[in-house]
Amino acid sequence: MVNNNYLPFKAKILDKYQQTELDWTYRLECQIKPIFGQFMEVSLPGVGECPISISDFGEGYIEMTIRTVGQVTEGIEKLNPEDYLYLRGPYGIGFPIESFYNKHLIIATGGTGLAPVKSIINYFYAHPELLKQCDILTGFKTPSDVLFTSDLDKWSQLFRVEVTVDKLDEFGNLEVIPNSCSRKTGLITSLIPEVQLPSLEDVRVVIVGPPIMMRYTAQEFLCRGLKQENIWVSFERKMSCGLGKCGHCKIDETYVCLEGPVFNFTKAQTLLD
């Protein structure tokens, strides 16, 4: 049977985990083997479709962390294990994972930008011998917005993990963030001057988050002496069809869904708003 990239397939929800008031992680029965950083088109018949990054995957399943922000995602939130979603994909260019081998990898994320790199972190957590060092810098608006708290705790057993929030929420504390992580308030860019960089030539940086966060975070690393070609970003700018047909994600002559969502910063600096 010829594979049809336009045709969705059914995927059973195996489990569902609440992350925050708005964010849920869904584990779906799926036999695909994506590349780190790719995304799926997720649909509900009669409701609509939206692109969602793959936050993790393994034998016989993928996971996606979905924020409830519109009609499609509101419909998805009402589903439970044993219900079905419809998927197309995976699509897009992923991270060049082998380029990080035997390097000092720094992953900097803002908000839900932690989801697209969760699988990378878990991969290197399972294979720490492939890296010289790993630093994880992740920022959220408030403590109530922090994702993957149990994973942050686990990762901090092997890697340096720093979590910052822009401001305290109504609860006024950082107790939701594991004690094993460094906990601070302020923008994620405030963490970068403190990162130890013994060898600039060995450093590789991955940045995922809102466009303005990625731009200023990249600039901070450039000020530390990193080369543009050693920085990668990922973003989903108005993606819709995933196949480069609708043109919603087009920036000048670049189709984000086809040539991204992962870009080397040498290219991304001309695309970021």
Side-chain angles (χ1 to χ4, degrees), residues 87-108:
L87 307 178
R88 288 194 289 119
Y91 297 121
I93 303 298
F95 290 99
I97 199 78
E98 293 182 359
S99 298
F100 307 148
Y101 289 179
N102 201 35
K103 303 296 182 184
H104 175 186
L105 178 62
I106 302 173
I107 296 177

Side-chain angles (χ1 to χ4, degrees), residues 104-106 133 135-137 160 162 188 190-198 203 221 224:
H104 175 186
L105 178 62
I106 302 173
Q133 183 178 335
D135 293 306
I136 300 167
L137 315 176
R160 177 174 170 267
E162 290 208 57
I188 192 172
S190 66
L191 302 179
I192 297 170
E194 302 174 8
V195 178
Q196 298 299 310
L197 305 177
V203 177
F221 280 111
R224 292 290 308 271

Side-chain angles (χ1 to χ4, degrees), residues 135-138 152 155-156 159-163 180-182:
D135 293 306
I136 300 167
L137 315 176
T138 185
L152 290 168
W155 297 334
S156 67
F159 307 138
R160 177 174 170 267
V161 179
E162 290 208 57
V163 183
S180 57
C181 304
S182 173

Side-chain angles (χ1 to χ4, degrees), residues 220-238:
E220 286 291 328
F221 280 111
L222 293 173
C223 288
R224 292 290 308 271
L226 267 73
K227 297 178 180 177
Q228 292 181 357
E229 58 264 33
N230 291 335
I231 300 174
W232 287 263
V233 303
S234 175
F235 61 101
E236 300 173 3
R237 178 192 169 101
K238 301 178 182 177

